[in-house]
Amino acid sequence: MGDRMPELVLLQQLQQDRYKLLRFLLSNGVLKKVVMPSGAKTLEDINLDEVSVDYVLECAEKETVLEISEAVKRYYNDLDLPLMMGSAFSQTVYVASNVDSSGPASSCLPNLVLAETASVEASHNSFSMVSTASQQVSVNELINDIEDDDDRESRPKIALYQPNDTNGLILELPPLKTGLTGDDLRKTAYEILLASIGGVRGLPLPAVKEKNQVKKSKFVRKFTGHISHKHKHQSSQKPDLGDLLENIRTQMEIPEAMDWLTRHSLLNVSVGSGGKRIDTLLIPLELLCTVSHVDFPDQKAYTRWKKRQVNVLEEGLLNHPSIPMEESDHRESELRTLFKELREAEGLPSALGSAQRSESLMAVRNIVLSLAKRVSREDQIEEVCHWADGYHLNILLYGKLLCAVFDILDEGKLVKDTDEIMELLKFSWKILGITQNVHDLCYTWVLFHQFVLTGEEDLLRHALFHIKRFSANSQQSPQERSYMKTLRSCKEGADGSRELTFVESVVLPIKQWVDKRMEDYTTSFTNASKMDPLLTLAVVSGTLLGDEKAQSGITRMESAAETDAVAKQLENYITSSAKAAFNKALQEVHIKCEKANEHFLALLAVAIQTLVKKDTEEFGPILSRWHPHAVPLCATLYHNFYHQQLKPFLDGVSILTDDVASVLSGAYSLEQYLMGLNMSGSTERDTFFYKDEIEPFKVEEISTTLMMHWVSMQVTRVSEWVDRTLQQEKWEPLSNQQQHGVSIIEVFRIIEEATEQFFSLKLPIHFPVMKSLATGLGNALQIYSSRVVNQLGVKEVLIPPPPGLTRYGKEVFNIKKFTKKGISYINPSDTRNSGQLNLLSVSKLCVRLNTLYFMLNQLKILEGNIKDLWLKIQPHNNNLGDTSDTEFPPNFDLTRKLANDSIERISEFLGTSYFILLIFVNQ
C-alpha cells in the first residue's frame, strides 16, 4: 500500500486540477454557448468527472457551442484509446492487446486517462449524461451553481498533494456553529468588499462584454489577460477599479452572474437607504430583503443562497458575541426562532411561504438592528453597525479577502496587482473592524498558511515581514491597544474552555507548527539556510505570546525578560532536537553493529561525533544568533546522552581487552571534542560552560588503572619470552652479515610489539604509566644481559687440570710462566664439563658478545621511538603532563650498565679461551 501512495496522491491531484479547470472554463464566459442535457439546469446536476476536458477545450478554441452530452460521449470513447506518453524524442503507446497483431501505433495523441478515474461513480444527485435530449442555456444562466456547497458535499473528497503538513495549522477561534463552509465565507467576504467599496468610491456594474472584438479567442484571452503577472505581458499601467474588481472576482472564483446580481442588489439597497452609506448597513440583512427567488434560475439555488445569508447573520450576531446578552433579554431566542422560520419558509406553499418570509424579515430587521447598534469593541466610528458582534467571524471573512492576492493558476505566487488589491481591501476595514495591526496579523496567517501549502519560501519571507512589523509597532494609541485587548474568544478543547486573545489565536498555531519542525531541526531541514526564517518566525511568535501572558495593562516584557524567554525557547529546540537525533543515531548504530565487528559504544562515539560536527557547523551559526551558548549547550547535551549509555559499561570493566580499549578510546576522543566545543563560545581562556550539568566520563582514571595492569601483563609476557628464547638459543650467527644470536631479534620484536600496542591504544597516557612500561622493558633486557653471562659459569673451567706427577704448581699459570713440556700433560680427552666448555668456545663467545652490542644499538633506537611516540601524543595529553626534564625521556642507563658489564665479563672469557687456544696451537 505504501508503494502506491505516490500514485494515489498524483491521481487525486490530477482529479482536483481537472475539476478546477472545467469549473473555470464553464464559469468565466469562455465558451460561446452550453447545451445542457435534458433534466439538467445547473452544473450541480452534472458529474464533471464524466465530461471530456479535451472536448471542452476544443469548443473554447473554436468558439463553438458546447454540448454536454457530446462531451460525455467523448469522455467514454477516449477510455477505449491506449495510453500514450509523448516526449521530445519519441512517443510510447501502452496497449493491452498483442503487439504483433495490433499493427502500428496510432499517430494521434489521445486524452490521458487514468484507470482509477473511470471508477469514480457519479454522486447521488448527478444526472446521467447519456441523454440525447438537450436544452440550450446561455453561459450566464449556466453559472447558477454559485451556491455549490451541496455539490461539494456530495462529491468525493479529494486530498490535494501538499509539500508540507498542515495538520494542526488551524486558527484558534471558536468553531462556526451554523455550518458555514469556506465557500460560504468566500462569497460573503466578496459581498462585504463590494459594499465597502460602494460606500466610499461608488460601485460600478460589470462591463458588458462584446463578442468578436478581437481576433484571438476568449479562451486565449482568459489565460493571458488578468490572472497573474507571470502570464500578463500587456500594458504596465495601473488598473482601474473595474479591472481590479474583475481580478479579485476571478481570484476568489466568484461566478459572473453572482457578481452582477450582488452589485445590482447593493445599488438598489443604496438607493433605498435614505442617504445612508452602504458600508453602514447590515449587508446580509439588506440582501435578504432585496433579492428574491425570481433572481435565481431555480428554487434550489435561491434556498442555498438564503440559507447562507441567514447563517451569516446568526453567526455574526448570536454566536460568540463580544457583549453577552443578559438572561432577561429575550431577543436572542426570538431571533433564533425567526431565523428558523426563514429557513422553513421555502418549504411552504408559495403564497404562504412568501407571507411568512416577509413577516419574518420585518421582525428580524427590528431585532437585528437593535443588536447591531450596540456600542462595543471600543468603536472609533460615528455610525456604529456591528453586523458581526464576535470578531472571529470578521477575521475569517477578511482572511478570505486576503487570499485574493494569490495567483489562482500558481498558488505559491502573488499576483502583480497585489498592492492595488490591498488598497481596495482597506475599504472593508471599517465594516470588519480591521486595523493596521489586525491586518498585519491576518496577512501573516494567510501568507504562512499558503507557504505551508505550497512550500514557496517567498511567502514565508512576506509573512515574517508582517509579523515583525506587528511586533515592532510600539506606537499604538491607547485606544487601539484597548481595542486589541477586547478581541478575545473562548475555545473549547480537551482540557476545557480557554480564553484567547486575538494575538494568541493567530500566533499560537503558527508557533506550534514551527515548534514541531524546530524540535527536530536536524531531520526537518536538509539545508540549514531554510531553517533561518522559520527560526526567526518562531522567536518572534514566542515573544508575542510571552507579551500576551506577561502584559499588565498595556506594558510589554522588559528586554532582559524577553532575552531570557528567547534563550529558553532556543534551549528547548536544541534539547529536543539533540535528543531526537541521538535516538535516531542509536537505532542506526544498533543496525550497523550487527554487521560490523566492533563494539556498539565505540561505533556510537564515532556516530555522535559526526552528528555533533554537522549540527554545530551547519546549524550552530544560525542558533548562535539567538542563543550565544548554543554550541556549548549542544555539546553538553550530547555529552550527557552518551554518558548515560557509557556509564553501565564502565562500571563493569576490569581488564583492558580490545573492546574495552576501542570503547575507552572512542569515549575519550568524543569527550575531548565536546569539551573543546564547550569552551569555543568564550572569549576567555578555559571558560567552561554548563560545568555543573556535565559529569565527566572519567576515562583517564579508568584507563590509567587498566593500562597499569596491562603494562604489568606485557612486561611479564616479555620476561617469559626472554626465558624461552634463551633456552632455545644455540649461539650461532644468523648470517655472515648478522653475527649475533637469534634470541635478541625475538626479544626486541616482542618489545616493539608491546610498545606499538601501548601507544596505539589512543587512550590518555600518563607519564608514570609510560615510565612503568619503559622500566619493565628495561628490566627484561637486564635479565637477558645477566642470563647471557650467567650461562658461562666461571672462567676457571677453561683451565685444564694439571697432569699427574707434575713438578709445577697451579699458581704457575697465574703468573703466565710455563713451558711447552707442561702443556703436553693436558688431556684433550678430558670430558669434565664438556657442555659448558662447548659454550665457552671462541665462536660462541663472539656471538654472545655481538648480541650484547646489538642490544645496545637497538636500545638506543627503542629509546628514540618511545620519545617520538610520546611527543606525538602530547597535544592530546596537555592536561596529563606530569613530567620533568630530568625524568624524560625515560632512559635505560641501568640496562646499558648491565649490558656493558656483561660485555666485559664475556670479553674476559673470550681472552682466556683465546689464550688457551694459543697454547694448543704452539704446543
Side-chain angles (χ1 to χ4, degrees):
M1 182 64 182
D3 296 338
R4 289 187 54 80
M5 284 305 297
E7 298 178 6
L8 295 177
V9 170
L10 178 60
L11 172 60
Q12 293 172 347
Q13 182 182 1
L14 291 175
Q15 289 175 331
Q16 185 69 12
D17 292 345
R18 184 180 187 277
Y19 178 79
K20 285 184 176 181
L21 177 59
L22 285 173
R23 284 191 56 81
F24 177 80
L25 295 174
L26 297 175
S27 62
N28 286 274
V30 176
L31 298 165
K32 180 178 180 180
K33 235 179 211 337
V34 177
V35 178
M36 298 290 288
S38 177
K41 296 181 179 180
T42 67
L43 291 182
E44 298 171 7
D45 302 322
I46 301 174
N47 183 9
L48 294 181
D49 289 331
E50 298 178 348
V51 176
S52 172
V53 178
D54 286 348
Y55 182 78
V56 175
L57 293 175
E58 290 175 4
C59 292
E61 290 176 340
K62 298 177 181 178
E63 298 186 2
T64 58
V65 176
L66 169 64
E67 296 186 8
I68 298 297
S69 58
E70 291 297 325
V72 174
K73 291 180 181 180
R74 172 73 174 272
Y75 168 78
Y76 282 104
N77 291 336
D78 288 345
L79 289 180
D80 298 330
L81 297 177
L83 297 180
M84 178 174 289
M85 179 180 67
S87 66
F89 304 100
S90 62
Q91 290 184 335
T92 303
V93 179
Y94 299 95
V95 296
S97 57
N98 190 321
V99 178
D100 296 333
S101 61
S102 297
S106 174
S107 59
C108 62
L109 183 63
N111 179 34
L112 177 61
V113 179
L114 295 179
E116 290 83 356
T117 305
S119 65
V120 179
E121 298 181 357
S123 58
H124 67 276
N125 63 340
S126 297
F127 180 78
S128 176
M129 303 309 299
V130 296
S131 175
T132 57
S134 61
Q135 174 184 352
Q136 290 192 353
V137 186
S138 66
V139 174
N140 286 337
E141 293 174 348
L142 175 63
I143 310 305
N144 283 306
D145 59 341
I146 50 182
E147 307 296 324
D148 57 353
D149 53 314
D150 292 342
D151 181 63
R152 291 290 180 89
E153 293 175 1
S154 63
R155 289 182 54 80
K157 299 299 182 182
I158 300 176
L160 288 175
Y161 170 74
Q162 299 170 355
N164 292 304
D165 182 15
T166 59
N167 290 336
L169 191 60
I170 303 174
L171 280 173
E172 292 286 345
L173 295 174
L176 300 177
K177 297 181 180 180
T178 58
L180 286 172
T181 64
D183 288 337
D184 292 333
L185 294 174
R186 172 172 50 83
K187 296 165 185 174
T188 301
Y190 185 71
E191 293 168 355
I192 297 299
L193 178 63
L194 292 180
S196 62
I197 294 174
V200 179
R201 298 179 58 176
L203 187 62
L205 286 175
V208 180
K209 299 180 180 180
E210 297 182 4
K211 300 180 180 180
N212 301 323
Q213 288 181 341
V214 292
K215 292 184 178 180
K216 65 178 181 179
S217 67
K218 290 182 180 180
F219 172 75
V220 178
R221 191 162 61 251
K222 280 293 177 183
F223 282 95
T224 59
H226 53 73
I227 298 300
S228 171
H229 67 276
K230 292 179 63 178
H231 309 279
K232 185 173 181 178
H233 306 284
Q234 298 178 356
S235 174
S236 59
Q237 295 179 356
K238 289 186 178 181
D240 56 18
L241 179 60
D243 293 335
L244 286 176
L245 287 177
E246 177 66 11
N247 288 351
I248 294 174
R249 183 196 67 78
T250 305
Q251 296 299 120
M252 298 185 69
E253 300 183 68
I254 303 298
E256 291 181 357
M258 189 60 200
D259 179 36
W260 186 91
L261 175 61
T262 303
R263 296 195 197 189
H264 189 270
S265 301
L266 289 175
L267 290 177
N268 291 337
V269 170
S270 178
V271 172
S273 62
K276 292 185 178 180
R277 289 175 15 184
I278 304 178
D279 56 344
T280 62
L281 303 176
L282 282 173
I283 307 304
L285 177 62
E286 299 299 336
L287 289 177
L288 278 173
C289 296
T290 305
V291 179
S292 64
H293 66 89
V294 297
D295 297 315
F296 289 82
D298 56 27
Q299 187 65 34
K300 185 178 180 181
Y302 174 68
T303 301
R304 287 195 301 269
W305 178 88
K306 186 184 67 173
K307 176 185 176 182
R308 173 170 63 86
Q309 302 296 345
V310 173
N311 288 342
V312 169
L313 282 175
E314 181 177 351
E315 197 70 55
L317 294 175
L318 298 181
N319 299 336
H320 312 289
S322 60
I323 302 179
M325 297 183 186
E326 298 179 358
E327 296 182 1
S328 59
D329 194 340
H330 300 290
R331 288 180 296 178
E332 179 179 356
S333 59
E334 293 177 5
L335 193 55
R336 291 190 186 277
T337 302
L338 292 173
F339 285 154
K340 182 178 180 181
E341 293 177 357
L342 277 176
R343 296 188 183 99
E344 296 174 350
E346 304 307 325
L348 301 175
S350 57
L352 184 59
S354 299
Q356 178 174 327
R357 174 178 175 275
S358 300
E359 293 176 1
S360 299
L361 281 176
M362 185 177 298
V364 166
R365 174 181 288 276
N366 295 331
I367 300 177
V368 164
L369 289 179
S370 64
L371 292 177
K373 294 297 182 180
R374 292 178 301 165
V375 178
S376 65
R377 304 185 310 181
E378 300 297 327
D379 292 287
Q380 308 171 36
I381 58 178
E382 296 178 358
E383 298 180 78
V384 179
C385 182
H386 294 300
W387 77 282
D389 192 18
Y391 84 94
H392 68 285
L393 178 61
N394 290 335
I395 297 302
L396 296 176
L397 292 171
Y398 189 64
K400 292 297 180 181
L401 289 177
L402 290 172
C403 289
V405 301
F406 300 120
D407 190 341
I408 193 175
L409 298 181
D410 189 352
E411 296 178 346
K413 303 295 183 182
L414 298 176
V415 295
K416 183 177 181 181
D417 302 328
T418 297
D419 294 338
E420 290 78 6
I421 292 177
M422 283 298 177
E423 290 298 322
L424 278 185
L425 297 188
K426 285 184 178 181
F427 292 125
S428 67
W429 287 14
K430 188 175 181 180
I431 295 180
L432 299 176
I434 305 297
T435 64
Q436 182 63 52
N437 287 328
V438 175
H439 163 77
D440 285 335
L441 273 187
C442 290
Y443 199 27
T444 297
W445 169 262
V446 171
L447 288 168
F448 182 77
H449 192 272
Q450 199 71 6
F451 156 73
V452 174
L453 285 174
T454 63
E456 184 61 46
E457 296 184 6
D458 286 340
L459 299 179
L460 177 60
R461 284 190 284 270
H462 284 296
L464 189 57
F465 168 78
H466 285 277
I467 197 171
K468 281 183 176 180
R469 187 167 71 175
F470 174 83
S471 178
N473 188 5
S474 59
Q475 304 300 324
Q476 300 177 6
S477 65
Q479 191 176 15
E480 185 176 2
R481 291 178 180 176
S482 181
Y483 169 64
M484 289 291 292
K485 292 178 69 65
T486 64
L487 302 182
R488 311 183 74 89
S489 61
C490 291
K491 178 71 180 292
E492 298 292 337
D495 300 331
S497 178
R498 292 185 303 162
E499 187 179 46
L500 300 173
T501 65
F502 171 58
V503 175
E504 291 173 332
S505 298
V506 176
V507 176
L508 186 59
I510 293 178
K511 186 177 182 298
Q512 290 174 344
W513 190 93
V514 178
D515 286 347
K516 185 178 179 180
R517 275 75 189 163
M518 291 303 304
E519 287 171 357
D520 190 9
Y521 57 79
T522 55
T523 303
S524 301
F525 304 99
T526 55
N527 188 350
S529 62
K530 294 184 178 181
M531 185 187 76
D532 194 8
L534 276 177
L535 178 59
T536 304
L537 180 62
V539 171
V540 176
S541 301
T543 302
L544 290 175
L545 293 175
D547 287 340
E548 292 298 305
K549 294 180 180 180
Q551 274 183 353
S552 174
I554 57 175
T555 60
R556 296 187 57 178
M557 285 193 303
E558 298 294 336
S559 59
E562 184 174 332
T563 302
D564 293 340
V566 171
K568 182 64 177 178
Q569 183 178 355
L570 266 292
E571 288 178 3
N572 292 337
Y573 291 157
I574 297 172
T575 301
S576 58
S577 183
K579 187 174 182 179
F582 182 81
N583 291 334
K584 183 179 179 180
L586 279 178
Q587 298 176 0
E588 294 176 351
V589 171
H590 273 299
I591 297 174
K592 184 178 180 180
C593 187
E594 297 176 356
K595 302 178 181 179
N597 189 23
E598 295 184 57
H599 196 276
F600 166 75
L601 290 174
L603 293 175
L604 182 60
V606 176
I608 295 303
Q609 187 165 342
T610 303
L611 184 62
V612 174
K613 184 177 181 181
K614 176 184 178 181
D615 197 341
T616 55
E617 290 181 356
E618 295 185 10
F619 300 101
I622 298 175
L623 296 171
S624 297
R625 292 206 298 267
W626 300 100
H627 194 302
H629 304 152
V631 172
L633 174 61
C634 180
T636 300
L637 290 170
Y638 281 107
H639 183 281
N640 293 339
F641 292 155
Y642 184 77
H643 192 204
Q644 293 176 359
Q645 304 290 326
L646 178 66
K647 192 175 186 302
F649 175 83
L650 295 180
D651 293 341
V653 169
S654 60
I655 188 172
L656 189 64
T657 62
D658 290 341
D659 283 344
V660 172
S662 64
V663 172
L664 291 178
S665 175
Y668 178 72
S669 176
L670 176 62
E671 187 170 40
Q672 293 298 305
Y673 177 73
L674 295 178
M675 292 304 178
L677 291 177
N678 194 292
M679 295 184 290
S680 63
S682 174
T683 56
E684 299 180 5
R685 186 177 181 182
D686 299 333
T687 300
F688 195 74
F689 297 102
Y690 305 101
K691 184 176 182 179
D692 297 336
E693 301 179 18
I694 291 182
E695 182 181 355
F697 295 165
K698 297 182 180 179
V699 173
E700 300 172 21
E701 300 177 11
I702 297 174
S703 63
T704 298
T705 302
L706 296 178
M707 289 182 71
M708 289 295 289
H709 180 66
W710 182 87
V711 167
S712 177
M713 294 178 59
Q714 292 298 316
V715 169
T716 301
R717 176 168 169 259
V718 172
S719 299
E720 293 175 354
W721 195 259
V722 168
D723 292 338
R724 186 180 300 110
T725 54
L726 284 176
Q727 292 174 7
Q728 299 174 357
E729 179 63 69
K730 302 300 183 181
W731 299 113
E732 299 291 341
L734 290 175
S735 63
N736 294 331
Q737 290 76 25
Q738 296 177 322
Q739 294 293 324
H740 49 75
V742 67
S743 60
I744 194 63
I745 299 295
E746 293 297 319
V747 168
F748 271 98
R749 183 184 63 80
I750 197 67
I751 287 177
E752 291 175 358
E753 181 179 321
T755 304
E756 291 178 359
Q757 290 180 1
F758 178 79
F759 285 101
S760 64
L761 291 175
K762 297 181 181 179
L763 295 175
I765 302 176
H766 289 265
F767 182 77
V769 179
M770 191 270 290
K771 186 177 181 180
S772 176
L773 175 66
T775 301
L777 297 179
N779 291 337
L781 291 175
Q782 293 171 24
I783 294 173
Y784 182 89
S785 300
S786 300
R787 292 187 178 181
V788 167
V789 176
N790 292 340
Q791 286 180 350
L792 300 178
V794 294
K795 63 182 178 180
E796 284 77 7
V797 74
L798 293 173
I799 302 175
L805 301 177
T806 180
R807 53 182 181 165
Y808 298 103
K810 190 175 181 179
E811 60 276 4
V812 174
F813 289 95
N814 292 333
I815 59 176
K816 298 182 181 181
K817 291 183 179 181
F818 54 88
T819 62
K820 294 180 181 181
K821 186 176 181 178
I823 298 302
S824 63
Y825 290 97
I826 295 177
N827 186 6
S829 62
D830 188 359
T831 59
R832 293 176 306 166
N833 299 323
S834 58
Q836 187 174 5
L837 290 175
N838 185 44
L839 293 175
L840 297 177
S841 64
V842 173
S843 61
K844 294 185 181 298
L845 289 175
C846 288
V847 172
R848 291 173 184 267
L849 194 62
N850 291 335
T851 299
L852 292 177
Y853 277 116
F854 178 81
M855 186 184 74
L856 289 175
N857 292 333
Q858 292 298 115
L859 194 62
K860 184 177 180 180
I861 297 174
L862 176 63
E863 191 176 58
N865 289 340
I866 292 177
K867 179 180 179 181
D868 293 340
L869 292 172
W870 173 256
L871 293 177
K872 186 177 180 180
I873 66 172
Q874 277 306 290
H876 307 287
N877 292 286
N878 289 334
N879 58 332
L880 308 176
D882 48 2
T883 65
S884 63
D885 294 339
T886 58
E887 293 179 331
F888 182 82
N891 55 63
F892 297 92
D893 291 344
L894 182 58
T895 303
R896 288 191 182 88
K897 184 178 181 301
L898 290 177
N900 287 324
D901 292 343
S902 298
I903 290 174
E904 184 177 349
R905 289 193 61 192
I906 293 176
S907 297
E908 292 178 359
F909 274 90
L910 185 59
T912 301
S913 178
Y914 187 72
F915 181 74
I916 297 300
L917 181 61
L918 288 177
I919 294 177
F920 279 107
V921 171
N922 294 327
Q923 186 174 2

